[in-house]
Amino acid sequence: MRPKLSKNLLRTKTLEARVNAIEHEMIKLKAQDAGLSIAELTRRSVLLKPLPKRLSKITLATYRELVRIGSNINQLTRATNTAIKMGLRPPADPEQLKQLQKLLQKIGRELSQIETEITDEDDIDDGEDDEDWE
């Protein structure tokens, strides 16, 4: 005979999610491989998997700017390689471009590892002067 669960542990609520046939089959197979029911797999996945950190507006703006800079470096690298192949003077030093690309990648990695995020309220300058800062 199964022991009775306390009221707090009794599962009485249901969650619904729509998936297509392929997703359903993948979930079913994953559950079978793990030896779990679909419900148990879902519970474990949802409750135990950490959620991604919410990025602040400053972080997102920084990522966008890094992408723009990276695009510019890639264009300059392409132009440099083309000039070298044509026997012309390159517009930039290829070694410096490689160093810049590595530096950009390092900045991106470090930015993604920042644990203390600024809240959206903190990263917006509303233009109002704080009277406390006289």
Side-chain angles (χ1 to χ4, degrees), residues 25-90:
E25 192 59 31
M26 289 171 64
I27 293 168
K28 193 167 110 179
L29 289 172
K30 199 171 189 176
Q32 286 173 352
D33 288 346
L36 301 171
S37 67
I38 291 176
E40 185 62 24
L41 176 78
T42 304
R43 266 192 299 279
R44 288 184 181 203
S45 297
V46 171
L47 296 175
L48 300 178
K49 189 173 181 182
L51 296 175
K53 286 190 281 185
R54 182 171 175 256
L55 299 176
S56 70
K57 289 180 181 179
I58 289 175
T59 303
L60 288 173
T62 304
Y63 274 127
R64 283 189 204 104
E65 192 59 33
L66 286 174
V67 168
R68 286 186 194 110
I69 293 168
S71 295
N72 290 340
I73 291 173
N74 287 337
Q75 290 173 9
L76 194 51
T77 301
R78 193 175 302 118
T80 298
N81 290 335
T82 302
I84 290 171
K85 286 178 184 176
M86 296 175 67
L88 302 173
R89 184 171 175 253

Side-chain angles (χ1 to χ4, degrees), residues 101-124:
Q101 285 176 322
K102 286 180 184 177
L103 185 59
L104 263 179
Q105 290 169 348
K106 182 180 177 188
I107 291 169
R109 282 192 303 271
E110 287 178 7
L111 186 62
S112 69
Q113 292 175 357
I114 294 174
E115 294 194 22
T116 309
E117 292 290 343
I118 300 171
T119 63
D120 287 345
E121 292 78 32
D122 292 337
D123 60 301
I124 299 172

